[in-house]
Amino acid sequence: MTPMPARIIHTTIDRPWRDVYAFAFQPENMPRWAAGLASGLSREGEDWIGDGGPIGKIRVRFTPRNDLGVIDHTVTLDTGMSFENALRVVPNGDGAEIMFTLLRQPDTDDQAFEVDAAAIQTDLGTLKHILEQS
């Protein structure tokens, strides 16, 4: 498979990066800021199960907690199709930068890719709002 086009979507958060990581890493917190997981996630072994809305049930497996700010996760659909998602929190001065790498999947048209990118930007903006208000 050839490399897919990618876009890094990021937001600066005025909170220490470790605080951002600690909050964002918790699957229990994700429904508060990740609209696609608004119905919540429930633990099933090493995975987390959620209602993906129109795409059906999803299974999410996160990278283990780490000191590098990595929140990578694999999302697997009921169809068996999987998507690798890279999510990072890095120091940015006294604050943090959170970055999601959106890979354009085969057969995704320009409009769908832009919709996905906008949804991720909105989610990161929601996370920023939550963390900067607390």
Side-chain angles (χ1 to χ4, degrees):
M1 178 188 288
T2 61
M4 295 177 272
R7 181 176 304 167
I8 308 297
I9 301 162
H10 62 96
T11 297
T12 303
I13 300 177
D14 190 15
R15 287 285 300 271
W17 80 270
R18 289 186 188 278
D19 292 353
V20 174
Y21 175 77
F23 183 87
F25 183 83
Q26 294 294 320
E28 296 91 341
N29 290 335
M30 289 184 175
R32 294 180 58 193
W33 62 274
L37 301 175
S39 66
L41 294 170
S42 58
R43 188 165 195 133
E44 185 176 285
E46 292 184 27
D47 296 341
W48 292 82
I49 308 301
D51 177 3
I55 60 173
K57 185 172 116 176
I58 58 171
R59 179 173 295 272
V60 185
R61 180 165 291 186
F62 294 93
T63 190
R65 183 178 299 278
N66 58 81
D67 292 327
L68 302 173
V70 176
I71 313 174
D72 289 0
H73 52 286
T74 303
V75 176
T76 304
L77 307 179
D78 274 340
T79 63
M81 181 178 270
S82 290
F83 303 92
E84 301 294 332
N85 296 306
L87 181 61
R88 305 287 198 287
V89 180
V90 299
N92 180 353
D94 291 334
E97 199 73 21
I98 186 160
M99 300 170 285
F100 185 97
T101 303
L102 176 62
L103 300 175
R104 184 172 175 162
Q105 300 299 315
D107 300 324
T108 300
D109 65 24
D110 290 345
Q111 182 178 2
F113 188 66
E114 293 304 323
V115 166
D116 287 347
I120 293 164
Q121 190 69 66
T122 297
D123 288 348
L124 296 182
T126 300
L127 179 63
K128 174 184 176 74
H129 177 76
I130 290 167
L131 290 171
E132 289 183 353
Q133 298 304 312
S134 61

